[in-house]
Amino acid sequence: MKPMCGIVGYIGQKQAQNILLEGLRKLEYRGYDSAGIAVYNDGKLNVKKTKGPLSALQQLTDKDPLSGEMGIGHTRWATHGKPSDENSHPHMDEKQQFSIVHNGIIENYLDIKEELQEKGYTFASETDTEVIAHLLSELYDGDLVSTVQKAVKRMEGAYALAIANVMEPDKLVAVRLASPLIVGVGDGENFIASDIPAILEHTRDVYVLNDGEMAVLTQDRVELFTTDGTPVNRDMLHVTWDAATAEKDGYEHFMLKEIHEQPKAIRDTLAARLKEGVVDLSREISLTPEELKRFDKVHIVACGTAYHAGLIGKSVIESLVRIPVEVDIASEYRYRNPILTPSTLVIVISQSGETADTLAALREAKQAGARVLGITNVVGSSVAREADEVLMTWAGPEIAVASTKAYTSQLIAIYLLGLYLARVLGTQPEEQLLEVTEALPRLSEQVKSILEDHGSIRKFAEKIAQHENLFFIGRGLDYPVVLEGSLKLKEISYIHSEAYAAGELKHGTLALIEEGIPVIALATQQAVHDKMVSNIIEVKARGAHVLGLGLEGRTDLDRSVDEHITIPETLSLLTPVLSVIPLQLLAYYTSTARGINVDKPRNLAKSVTVE
Amino acid sequence: MKPMCGIVGYIGQKQAQNILLEGLRKLEYRGYDSAGIAVYNDGKLNVKKTKGPLSALQQLTDKDPLSGEMGIGHTRWATHGKPSDENSHPHMDEKQQFSIVHNGIIENYLDIKEELQEKGYTFASETDTEVIAHLLSELYDGDLVSTVQKAVKRMEGAYALAIANVMEPDKLVAVRLASPLIVGVGDGENFIASDIPAILEHTRDVYVLNDGEMAVLTQDRVELFTTDGTPVNRDMLHVTWDAATAEKDGYEHFMLKEIHEQPKAIRDTLAARLKEGVVDLSREISLTPEELKRFDKVHIVACGTAYHAGLIGKSVIESLVRIPVEVDIASEYRYRNPILTPSTLVIVISQSGETADTLAALREAKQAGARVLGITNVVGSSVAREADEVLMTWAGPEIAVASTKAYTSQLIAIYLLGLYLARVLGTQPEEQLLEVTEALPRLSEQVKSILEDHGSIRKFAEKIAQHENLFFIGRGLDYPVVLEGSLKLKEISYIHSEAYAAGELKHGTLALIEEGIPVIALATQQAVHDKMVSNIIEVKARGAHVLGLGLEGRTDLDRSVDEHITIPETLSLLTPVLSVIPLQLLAYYTSTARGINVDKPRNLAKSVTVE
């Protein structure tokens, strides 16, 4: 759903400048470091671009407005070359005939650049994008469409482009290869955007481009082709989604709002799938019991927070279904030649359904003959469209860069899947499954009770905000939870935090434990409780200041730690849904205590649609 | 081989004090934070103990020597309670009748302590050890041996003990449960020690105690029993190992010496197993080709550095043998109820062969019916004795806490195993196996050439020594190597360093990349080279100062990084043996630049024989 850079394009009868600026503003929350627009007027493409926020760009256009009814705009999140005026988009060729905005990476840009430099082209920026403008100029044959087709053949990578030129000012071209792009269809005007909100106030009728497709827009028409030139017929999508759902509902930040939406997200994700103690996914998953029985191996593939959900998925599926599960980082999985057979079930997890590495893994797994089940939060996303089976999370739009409600909803989807497989395959006694299915719906209220009582977490957050380094430790199912808690804290507080399987600290990292360093220790797993207390005593003995997080009613933890918070009691298998909540709050309050813009941490984008 | 705490005991006709102090000195390099001795004289056990180095203890005994011919000594590495005079061993009961030294953990000590407190006992320290002394006093029935047997029944955990009392000054008792302990047999004198070097100048005849066994020593006799009282017959071991091999050979530190011993360790580990392009392990591995064919799953289980070798083992075995491999941290594996069947091959890796969690995993896997293959560096270690199959690394004694030559030797053992399995099972064409087997012996010379040219690494080390945080990144087989490089740096330089799969940085941790932060980037894997360069450009764009490590002859890396070093070209599969060498040197020189005692980093012990 959410591109790394924002792209907007307009062609019609209104002034383009403000439509482009407004569109970019709608994409602002995804993070960017510079912005720019190009507007066509009287034989020229005039550009304004600058490092910094949109307000800086607005100052430039206020001083010297760009007139014209066709143009493109861009918010940039640096990949090649640092944030600067020169590196901002749009980029142009030397003759100022072509203007380009671009999301993604041209992997072979250095080769193309050297080739063009030999031909005498000089470059104004460090970006891969500028290379495209010069390449188009070099290849131009009098027809923008065929020129773009030729250029695309030379470009390796993953990208989305919007292209204007001065020779054919009656058209805009959009190209998608592995980076989201849509076309909005209006009345006497048409739009390009990297995501729907950018154009929602102008039209609700859109075409979603697929990989390897391009669109040619005039003010009255939109034509879709493959980049080979074959015409494409696509159904128009009518968007009913309401832009207002993305508002903050009175919370100071989207992240805090989304943390508090978790009881609802959990309820919504459970609803209609869980009835009278039985999980039924047969309406969503088309695999028959016979087909399900054939799986002898599960691979879970994801990135970032979703990868942490996958680690918990391994425990859940292995313990309930007794099929071996391997969990992989998507960017590694693709290139390690995994052992895939038709009896491998590959589960990919992506909130946006557009995470580039995860999507690539999905495609390779399908190609290798494996069956792919996608867990995603966005209807109509690439994962939702391309996976053989889809299990939706119903968390609603997630805006904050740091994922919270999408993550807990992914966990719920995993529990549902594990329980469903266990029931269909008969791998666990009914009464054991019943115990879990009865505990699941209680999680929503339990999360709520944790959210209501966050005073001590906030106090602890204010303490750790003074530190530059800290550790998280946990064993068993607490281990993936501390990985997630640590990532959350890193993302939005910039504290160097590392999470460890508590028993592993002794094998090297204990050297970093010194007087006063905060250690956040999870101890919710009954089976390893005593071992965990021993690990806590180890770091205490070296001077660590320990926050212990345990279960209500287990009173011995507070004897061993400096500060102690609890979560309500539930089955050991389900604790991750509860124990992550205080860690989300900890990250949030630490970030605000350090005066950081929680929703827009530096260097990060909401979803990563380049590799 | 190497216990966490050091234990020495003496009973004979000589003055015990100096024999105990000398023995402790021989164990010094394993790391400790306090030391103490107790010597019997004239109805009393007199104790000297102190926080700090052995020289501090020596000052106490110089001022006020302890006379007597029986005693026990200890170097402590804190687990329960911080390093302090009170927490040092030996510990005594309130009546000063029993004196104890202890290695390991009594897991239920809080329960026993509370019970004894209710009976009126008061405690002088925070340790679990002191509880044992009071428990012996409470249970004493006039016979030390039967009293110890009763006490052991109450104590849960993993430990080794040496015990003296004033009522029976003609004997010493030693007990082993999952923590190494030996008895040395002399002429009119006998010894207890946690490891052989402690007593090597007095005797070369030793009994190695097994778990659940105890020894009763008088000056003329040694008797072995199980802790249930059943007599044990044990062959005496005659030690031929030369204490002088553990010297530093002119290097400033053991670690540097061991880094330079790697060409030899690689050669020795390959020798006799690799002939005319064919790997033959049939003299060491008793599994028949038919038995080998039956394996459909491999689990690799290890801790710390050996775990990183295991991660590389996964790639090696999966690519050569096409059997799915799961790699687990031993402390997690034991408690996660892994799916084990008779067709699972479990590979455990431990330099010392005594790593407590690894050993426990080995035992559980055997109990579950899996076949276990141990890779270890110590003949006669618990792993070597208990695994079904053993593949030795021939790295020679490793003294430095930070493992180097043992690690590269483990990698060599893994390549040999992968090649052997692939040949026996016919999973790869002969010529492909030949390509690898021919490249293997060249690694030794290639490592040597890297060691000879370390000037730029040393210079970079001096730079990063100024920093408190940095990152390592890599993809594919470079990823486990950066994990190892990062651990090495953490262990001995105390710099907060985290290693990332480069494609995963974008999913959160990129927030921590700020102007000037050092990033060490490995780019030795051809298949992901361009992706890796893109990741390097990402961190560069955010101001990181990048050291790139690539292959000789791939010249494009230096265009993208700030500093550039290379390793000789080899197969992508084999690069980990070479690429880790500059990272070991980097850790070493960073540590010395920071003025840290490389061989004895704070908080760490050479091998971890408690959980």
Side-chain angles (χ1 to χ4, degrees):
Chain A
M1 177 170 89
K2 288 140 191 173
M4 179 131 55
C5 302
I7 288 178
V8 184
Y10 177 77
I11 186 161
Q13 296 150 0
K14 300 179 192 152
Q15 285 297 309
Q17 174 186 289
N18 290 343
I19 291 170
L20 296 174
L21 288 174
E22 265 317 302
L24 294 178
R25 195 155 288 128
K26 291 293 193 307
L27 301 175
E28 202 176 4
Y29 56 77
R30 282 117 217 240
Y32 68 100
D33 47 50
S34 50
I37 58 172
V39 176
Y40 175 81
N41 192 32
D42 198 15
K44 279 182 68 181
L45 278 159
N46 298 304
V47 174
K48 299 275 178 206
K49 60 185 191 176
T50 179
K51 188 182 159 179
L54 277 171
S55 55
L57 178 62
Q58 181 90 52
Q59 279 180 9
L60 298 181
T61 56
D62 283 351
K63 218 166 13 178
D64 177 19
L66 297 181
S67 174
E69 291 91 41
M70 181 270 268
I72 54 180
H74 191 264
T75 44
R76 173 172 188 259
W77 183 82
T79 52
H80 287 72
K82 43 187 89 192
S84 69
D85 295 353
E86 306 75 47
N87 288 341
S88 306
H89 298 214
H91 285 282
M92 301 193 77
D93 65 313
E94 284 176 282
K95 298 186 214 146
Q96 312 284 304
Q97 292 176 329
F98 292 87
S99 187
I100 313 278
V101 294
H102 163 217
N103 182 11
I105 289 178
I106 309 298
E107 276 167 13
N108 60 339
Y109 85 101
L110 278 175
D111 295 336
I112 302 175
K113 187 170 181 176
E114 282 174 13
E115 192 186 308
L116 292 170
Q117 280 170 329
E118 277 167 31
K119 292 194 174 160
Y121 287 83
T122 58
F123 289 77
S125 80
E126 302 160 339
T127 65
D128 51 343
T129 308
E130 189 189 352
V131 173
I132 308 171
H134 294 282
L135 182 64
L136 289 170
S137 172
E138 166 72 14
L139 297 175
Y140 189 60
D141 60 7
D143 177 40
L144 181 60
V145 175
S146 73
T147 303
V148 169
Q149 286 165 350
K150 282 183 214 157
V152 163
K153 284 202 180 64
R154 292 294 318 280
M155 289 151 47
E156 292 164 19
Y159 49 81
L161 301 170
I163 304 166
N165 80 356
V166 296
M167 286 75 78
E168 299 154 82
D170 62 330
K171 65 181 69 143
L172 274 179
V173 170
V175 185
R176 167 178 175 158
L177 188 74
S179 202
L181 206 60
I182 60 144
V183 173
V185 180
D187 185 14
E189 58 183 4
N190 291 305
F191 306 84
I192 298 170
S194 52
D195 198 9
I196 291 168
I199 57 166
L200 210 53
E201 65 181 76
H202 306 291
T203 178
R204 291 182 165 269
D205 293 324
V206 304
Y207 293 117
V208 178
L209 293 191
N210 281 347
D211 287 349
E213 292 181 353
M214 58 190 290
V216 181
L217 291 75
T218 61
Q219 66 177 52
D220 299 314
R221 285 188 68 168
V222 172
E223 290 178 301
L224 305 189
F225 305 93
T226 66
T227 52
D228 297 330
T230 317
V232 168
N233 273 316
R234 175 71 31 85
D235 286 339
M236 196 178 277
L237 186 73
H238 186 74
V239 180
T240 56
W241 183 63
D242 176 9
T245 57
E247 292 296 324
K248 291 190 228 162
D249 279 354
Y251 287 96
E252 200 180 342
H253 297 96
F254 281 113
M255 184 182 175
L256 192 60
K257 167 177 173 282
E258 288 161 7
I259 287 173
H260 281 86
E261 284 170 349
Q262 291 181 108
K264 180 175 184 315
I266 291 168
R267 242 182 358 256
D268 290 351
T269 302
L270 283 174
R273 289 156 165 175
L274 183 61
K275 261 181 245 152
E276 292 156 19
V278 174
V279 172
D280 188 4
L281 302 176
S282 61
R283 273 166 311 174
E284 296 163 82
I285 292 180
S286 68
L287 290 160
T288 63
E290 288 64 41
E291 289 174 307
L292 289 174
K293 277 196 184 87
R294 239 172 282 144
F295 293 121
D296 59 8
K297 194 84 204 290
V298 174
H299 289 178
I300 302 181
V301 185
C303 299
T305 290
Y307 169 73
H308 299 151
L311 292 175
I312 291 164
K314 176 183 166 72
S315 292
V316 170
I317 294 173
E318 287 199 344
S319 71
L320 292 177
V321 196
R322 300 307 280 169
I323 297 178
V325 180
E326 242 181 283
V327 194
D328 267 272
I329 294 169
S331 63
E332 289 295 309
Y333 184 76
R334 292 173 59 187
Y335 302 104
R336 75 167 178 83
N337 188 13
I339 301 172
L340 279 166
T341 72
S343 60
T344 309
L345 174 65
V346 176
I347 300 175
V348 300
I349 311 176
S350 166
Q351 186 279 129
S352 67
E354 300 290 351
T355 312
D357 286 310
T358 307
L359 205 47
L362 179 160
R363 288 169 185 162
E364 299 212 356
K366 273 179 79 173
Q367 204 150 26
R371 198 78 172 239
V372 179
L373 184 148
I375 296 179
T376 180
N377 194 40
V378 178
V379 178
S381 63
S382 296
V383 165
R385 285 182 286 124
E386 298 186 26
D388 300 305
E389 311 286 340
V390 180
L391 195 54
M392 295 298 303
T393 52
W394 298 112
E398 193 176 63
I399 303 298
V401 164
S403 176
T404 52
K405 63 178 183 169
Y407 172 74
T408 40
S409 303
Q410 286 161 0
L411 294 184
I412 297 296
I414 284 163
Y415 290 118
L416 288 170
L417 183 63
L419 288 165
Y420 178 64
L421 293 175
R423 184 170 66 78
V424 172
L425 303 178
T427 48
Q428 295 296 332
E430 284 294 333
E431 59 274 20
Q432 201 192 321
L433 297 181
L434 192 64
E435 198 189 359
V436 184
T437 44
E438 286 183 342
L440 263 182
R442 285 198 292 271
L443 292 173
S444 173
E445 279 303 311
Q446 291 175 318
V447 168
K448 210 167 171 182
S449 79
I450 298 170
L451 290 171
E452 281 161 7
D453 180 25
H454 60 264
S456 44
I457 274 287
R458 190 169 187 162
K459 243 177 56 196
F460 190 72
E462 279 153 16
K463 269 185 221 166
I464 66 171
Q466 316 299 322
H467 289 260
E468 291 306 323
N469 295 287
L470 56 76
F471 288 92
F472 284 83
I473 56 176
R475 300 181 81 121
L477 269 174
D478 284 337
Y479 174 46
V481 176
V482 292
L483 283 171
E484 171 60 10
S486 173
L487 178 65
K488 213 91 302 177
L489 190 70
K490 276 194 276 206
E491 284 182 305
I492 60 173
S493 79
Y494 315 153
I495 291 174
H496 289 258
S497 144
E498 200 167 1
Y500 265 83
E504 188 67 2
L505 263 189
K506 287 187 296 290
H507 297 281
T509 304
L510 202 53
L512 295 180
I513 302 294
E514 56 189 339
E515 192 65 33
I517 195 163
V519 172
I520 295 134
L522 261 62
T524 76
Q525 300 297 300
Q526 315 263 9
V528 289
H529 187 79
D530 292 346
K531 305 272 172 195
M532 188 62 208
V533 171
S534 289
N535 296 136
I536 290 171
I537 292 171
E538 267 167 26
V539 295
K540 284 283 302 162
R542 282 158 190 84
H545 183 81
V546 179
L547 171 73
L549 192 159
L551 293 179
E552 265 167 36
R554 292 279 317 219
T555 49
D556 62 337
L557 189 63
D558 56 357
R559 286 192 283 174
S560 318
V561 299
D562 299 293
E563 314 203 19
H564 183 221
I565 57 172
T566 61
I567 55 169
E569 200 145 9
T570 183
L571 300 175
S572 279
L573 193 67
L574 301 181
T575 52
V577 178
L578 304 181
S579 53
V580 77
I581 309 292
L583 304 190
Q584 294 170 343
L585 291 168
L586 185 67
Y588 176 79
Y589 287 118
T590 306
S591 178
T592 54
R594 286 168 78 102
I596 291 165
N597 183 345
V598 179
D599 286 333
K600 281 190 244 173
R602 70 183 179 202
N603 300 348
L604 296 183
K606 175 56 186 165
S607 88
V608 181
T609 56
V610 296
E611 290 156 23
Chain B
M1 178 170 87
K2 288 137 189 174
M4 179 128 57
C5 302
I7 289 178
V8 185
Y10 177 77
I11 187 162
Q13 295 149 0
K14 298 178 191 149
Q15 285 295 310
Q17 173 184 291
N18 289 342
I19 291 171
L20 296 173
L21 288 173
E22 266 315 303
L24 293 177
R25 197 156 287 130
K26 291 293 193 306
L27 301 174
E28 202 176 5
Y29 56 77
R30 283 117 216 241
Y32 67 100
D33 49 49
S34 49
I37 58 173
V39 175
Y40 175 81
N41 192 32
D42 198 16
K44 278 181 69 182
L45 278 159
N46 297 305
V47 174
K48 299 275 178 205
K49 59 185 192 175
T50 179
K51 188 179 160 180
L54 277 172
S55 55
L57 180 60
Q58 181 90 51
Q59 280 179 8
L60 297 181
T61 56
D62 283 351
K63 218 167 15 181
D64 178 18
L66 296 181
S67 173
E69 291 91 41
M70 181 268 270
I72 54 180
H74 191 265
T75 45
R76 175 173 186 255
W77 184 81
T79 53
H80 287 73
K82 43 184 90 193
S84 69
D85 295 353
E86 305 75 49
N87 288 340
S88 308
H89 297 212
H91 285 282
M92 300 192 78
D93 64 313
E94 284 176 283
K95 296 186 213 145
Q96 311 285 303
Q97 292 176 328
F98 292 86
S99 186
I100 313 278
V101 293
H102 163 217
N103 182 11
I105 289 178
I106 308 299
E107 276 166 12
N108 62 337
Y109 85 101
L110 278 174
D111 295 336
I112 301 175
K113 187 170 180 174
E114 282 173 11
E115 192 186 309
L116 291 169
Q117 280 170 328
E118 276 167 30
K119 292 193 175 159
Y121 287 83
T122 59
F123 289 78
S125 81
E126 301 160 339
T127 66
D128 50 344
T129 308
E130 189 188 353
V131 173
I132 308 170
H134 293 281
L135 182 62
L136 288 171
S137 171
E138 167 72 13
L139 297 175
Y140 189 60
D141 60 8
D143 177 43
L144 181 59
V145 175
S146 73
T147 303
V148 169
Q149 287 166 349
K150 280 183 213 156
V152 164
K153 285 204 178 66
R154 292 294 319 280
M155 288 150 48
E156 292 164 19
Y159 49 81
L161 301 171
I163 304 166
N165 81 354
V166 297
M167 286 75 78
E168 299 152 81
D170 60 332
K171 66 180 68 143
L172 275 178
V173 170
V175 184
R176 165 174 177 159
L177 190 74
S179 203
L181 207 60
I182 60 145
V183 173
V185 179
D187 184 15
E189 57 184 4
N190 290 304
F191 305 84
I192 298 170
S194 51
D195 197 9
I196 291 169
I199 57 165
L200 209 53
E201 63 180 79
H202 305 290
T203 178
R204 291 180 167 269
D205 293 323
V206 304
Y207 292 117
V208 178
L209 292 191
N210 282 346
D211 287 351
E213 292 179 354
M214 59 192 287
V216 181
L217 291 75
T218 61
Q219 66 178 54
D220 299 311
R221 283 188 70 168
V222 172
E223 290 178 300
L224 306 188
F225 306 93
T226 66
T227 52
D228 297 332
T230 317
V232 169
N233 272 316
R234 176 71 29 84
D235 287 339
M236 196 180 276
L237 187 73
H238 186 75
V239 179
T240 55
W241 184 63
D242 177 9
T245 58
E247 291 297 323
K248 290 188 225 161
D249 279 354
Y251 287 96
E252 201 178 343
H253 296 97
F254 281 112
M255 185 182 174
L256 192 60
K257 168 176 173 281
E258 288 161 7
I259 286 174
H260 281 84
E261 284 170 348
Q262 290 179 105
K264 179 176 185 317
I266 292 168
R267 245 184 355 257
D268 291 350
T269 302
L270 284 173
R273 288 155 166 176
L274 184 60
K275 260 180 250 156
E276 292 155 19
V278 173
V279 172
D280 187 4
L281 301 176
S282 62
R283 273 167 310 174
E284 296 164 83
I285 293 180
S286 68
L287 290 160
T288 63
E290 289 62 43
E291 288 175 310
L292 290 173
K293 276 196 185 89
R294 237 171 283 144
F295 292 123
D296 59 8
K297 194 82 204 293
V298 174
H299 289 177
I300 302 181
V301 185
C303 299
T305 289
Y307 170 73
H308 299 151
L311 293 174
I312 291 165
K314 175 182 167 74
S315 293
V316 171
I317 293 172
E318 287 198 347
S319 70
L320 293 177
V321 196
R322 299 308 279 169
I323 297 178
V325 180
E326 243 180 281
V327 194
D328 268 271
I329 294 169
S331 62
E332 288 296 308
Y333 184 77
R334 292 174 58 187
Y335 302 104
R336 74 167 178 82
N337 189 11
I339 301 172
L340 279 166
T341 71
S343 60
T344 309
L345 173 65
V346 175
I347 300 175
V348 300
I349 310 176
S350 165
Q351 186 280 129
S352 68
E354 300 291 349
T355 313
D357 285 310
T358 308
L359 205 48
L362 178 159
R363 288 168 185 164
E364 299 211 356
K366 274 179 78 172
Q367 202 149 30
R371 197 81 172 235
V372 179
L373 184 148
I375 296 178
T376 181
N377 194 41
V378 179
V379 179
S381 64
S382 296
V383 165
R385 285 182 286 123
E386 297 186 27
D388 300 305
E389 310 286 340
V390 179
L391 195 55
M392 295 299 302
T393 53
W394 297 113
E398 194 175 64
I399 304 296
V401 165
S403 176
T404 53
K405 61 178 184 170
Y407 172 74
T408 40
S409 304
Q410 285 160 1
L411 295 183
I412 297 296
I414 284 163
Y415 290 119
L416 289 170
L417 183 64
L419 289 165
Y420 178 65
L421 293 175
R423 184 170 68 78
V424 172
L425 303 179
T427 48
Q428 296 295 331
E430 285 293 333
E431 59 274 21
Q432 202 192 318
L433 297 183
L434 192 64
E435 199 190 359
V436 185
T437 44
E438 286 182 344
L440 263 183
R442 285 198 291 274
L443 292 172
S444 173
E445 279 303 309
Q446 291 175 318
V447 168
K448 211 167 170 181
S449 79
I450 300 169
L451 291 172
E452 281 161 7
D453 180 27
H454 61 265
S456 44
I457 275 287
R458 191 169 185 161
K459 244 177 55 195
F460 190 73
E462 277 153 15
K463 269 186 221 166
I464 65 172
Q466 315 298 322
H467 288 261
E468 291 306 323
N469 295 287
L470 56 77
F471 289 92
F472 284 83
I473 57 175
R475 299 181 81 120
L477 268 174
D478 284 337
Y479 174 46
V481 177
V482 293
L483 284 171
E484 172 59 11
S486 173
L487 178 64
K488 212 93 300 177
L489 190 69
K490 276 194 276 205
E491 283 182 307
I492 59 173
S493 79
Y494 316 153
I495 292 174
H496 289 257
S497 146
E498 201 167 0
Y500 264 83
E504 188 68 3
L505 263 188
K506 289 188 295 291
H507 297 280
T509 304
L510 203 52
L512 295 182
I513 302 295
E514 55 189 338
E515 193 65 33
I517 195 163
V519 173
I520 294 135
L522 261 61
T524 75
Q525 300 297 300
Q526 315 263 10
V528 290
H529 187 80
D530 293 347
K531 306 272 171 196
M532 188 61 209
V533 171
S534 289
N535 295 136
I536 289 172
I537 291 171
E538 267 167 28
V539 296
K540 283 283 303 162
R542 282 158 191 84
H545 182 80
V546 178
L547 171 73
L549 191 160
L551 293 180
E552 265 167 36
R554 292 281 315 218
T555 50
D556 63 335
L557 189 62
D558 56 357
R559 286 191 285 175
S560 318
V561 299
D562 298 292
E563 316 202 17
H564 183 221
I565 55 172
T566 61
I567 55 168
E569 201 146 8
T570 183
L571 300 175
S572 279
L573 193 66
L574 300 182
T575 53
V577 178
L578 303 182
S579 54
V580 76
I581 309 291
L583 305 188
Q584 294 170 343
L585 290 168
L586 185 67
Y588 176 79
Y589 287 119
T590 307
S591 179
T592 53
R594 287 167 78 102
I596 290 164
N597 183 346
V598 179
D599 287 332
K600 282 190 241 169
R602 71 183 179 205
N603 298 350
L604 297 183
K606 173 58 186 164
S607 88
V608 181
T609 54
V610 297
E611 291 157 22

